[in-house]
Amino acid sequence: MDGNGRWAKSRCLSRLKGHEEGAQAARRIVEAVKERNIPYLTLYAFSSENWNRPKDEVEGLFRLLEGFIDKEIDRLKESGVCLHIIGDISKFPSVLIEKVMMSVDKTARNKEIHLSVALNYGGRDEIIRTTRKIISEGLTADSLNQKVFAGYLDTAFMPDPDLLIRTGGEWRISNFLLWQLAYTEIFFTDTLWPDFDEDALERALTWFSSRERRFGMTSEQVRGKEPV
Ligand code: FPP
């Protein structure tokens, strides 16, 4: 969800105001994705590197998340959203941890859409935490394969993403889902996150539907023809 800061700066507003608008955009996009019967959506809200931001901004983001939960959790529950958290929130303020866990519990039986919010998430950190879990459970080297490894990741409950949308004009993945993105289609857009609306989502989905996904095969194989 990149571009909140620039969106605010161009309007002479504080960065936090940009994040507030970003939270509103997130609310709208969850609805739009759900209406399209897309079963999984993951939002990158706070990376393991975002701790390096000014203290005011980090605390402001925590307050915003708390406020978002207070305001939205009942509506999310009613609309069938099952909330998941990926990342390591153990270093977050205890009030926020409690609210987050309560929200996860409250929505656990919902099935309409699995909304994952990445909090203190970093792909490298996830791989290290996963490896630690595997070692601590005493798995042998021979018993480890890709499926077993993926089953220990934060994302074990979801399939690998089909589409990654990177807003804000940056062409990088910034430590997001490093394992899971192996065959994901990546859509880069200059649109700043607070401006990312239903039309922008539709453009990304249209682009995605034009992609030929080969997963290492040839075009002929994918189209069900014999190779020439
Ligand atoms: C990146 O934009 C955005 C973030 C680090 C925070 C994202 C958080 C939210 C949208 C709010 C809460 C989320 C939810 C799910 C309610 P940036 O600040 O790096 O923008 P810039 O590159 O323009 O400075």
Side-chain angles (χ1 to χ4, degrees):
M1 299 189 281
D2 197 15
N4 298 343
R6 279 163 286 164
W7 182 93
K9 194 172 178 195
S10 69
R11 290 163 176 78
C12 300
L13 298 168
S14 68
R15 293 183 57 81
L16 224 43
K17 182 66 193 150
H19 294 313
E20 278 172 33
E21 281 301 312
Q24 291 314 310
R27 192 176 52 73
R28 291 191 296 268
I29 290 302
V30 172
E31 265 320 297
V33 166
K34 193 164 71 67
E35 276 166 23
R36 285 161 178 75
N37 296 321
I38 295 170
Y40 294 90
L41 171 67
T42 304
L43 298 173
Y44 201 4
F46 191 88
S47 79
S48 47
E49 287 73 36
N50 283 152
W51 292 104
N52 298 324
R53 293 196 171 201
K55 196 165 171 269
D56 282 0
E57 184 169 345
V58 171
E59 288 175 354
L61 278 167
F62 291 161
R63 276 198 307 278
L64 182 59
L65 278 165
E66 262 190 70
F68 188 84
I69 291 173
D70 288 342
K71 245 191 277 150
E72 300 290 333
I73 192 61
D74 288 336
R75 209 184 46 78
L76 290 174
K77 186 184 174 201
E78 289 319 305
S79 66
V81 173
C82 179
L83 181 69
H84 305 263
I85 300 299
I86 62 169
D88 172 14
I89 58 167
S90 62
K91 302 270 171 350
F92 274 19
S94 51
V95 180
L96 182 54
I97 297 178
E98 273 168 35
K99 284 199 179 178
V100 165
M101 296 324 291
M102 178 272 294
S103 310
V104 168
D105 280 354
K106 227 174 173 174
T107 61
R109 276 173 295 281
N110 281 348
K111 291 192 169 64
E112 205 130 317
I113 179 170
H114 292 272
L115 169 64
S116 304
V117 181
L119 292 176
N120 191 23
Y121 176 87
R124 288 181 172 182
D125 179 63
E126 182 189 29
I127 288 169
I128 295 285
R129 285 187 291 104
T130 299
T131 309
R132 284 196 186 128
K133 274 186 243 167
I134 289 172
I135 292 172
S136 70
E137 289 199 11
L139 261 77
T140 60
D142 283 347
S143 62
L144 192 58
N145 57 39
Q146 293 186 23
K147 198 164 172 237
V148 170
F149 192 84
Y152 281 85
L153 290 165
D154 296 354
T155 53
F157 62 92
M158 62 157 110
D160 286 345
D162 291 311
L163 170 65
L164 167 68
I165 300 173
R166 170 81 198 221
T167 59
E170 306 293 356
W171 290 51
R172 54 177 174 255
I173 55 175
S174 301
N175 205 7
F176 190 51
L177 299 177
L178 295 182
W179 171 280
Q180 299 86 339
L181 293 180
Y183 274 99
T184 300
E185 302 293 324
I186 307 185
F187 182 82
F188 295 100
T189 171
D190 288 338
T191 304
L192 304 175
W193 175 252
D195 293 327
F196 193 84
D197 57 12
E198 219 168 321
D199 287 345
L201 175 68
E202 206 50 60
R203 280 194 293 279
L205 295 174
T206 302
W207 173 84
F208 173 75
S209 62
S210 73
R211 303 290 304 154
E212 180 183 70
R213 306 191 69 197
R214 293 196 289 278
F215 299 97
M217 292 183 282
T218 65
S219 206
E220 288 76 10
Q221 285 175 303
V222 170
R223 291 175 197 178
K225 291 185 206 152
E226 283 302 308
V228 201

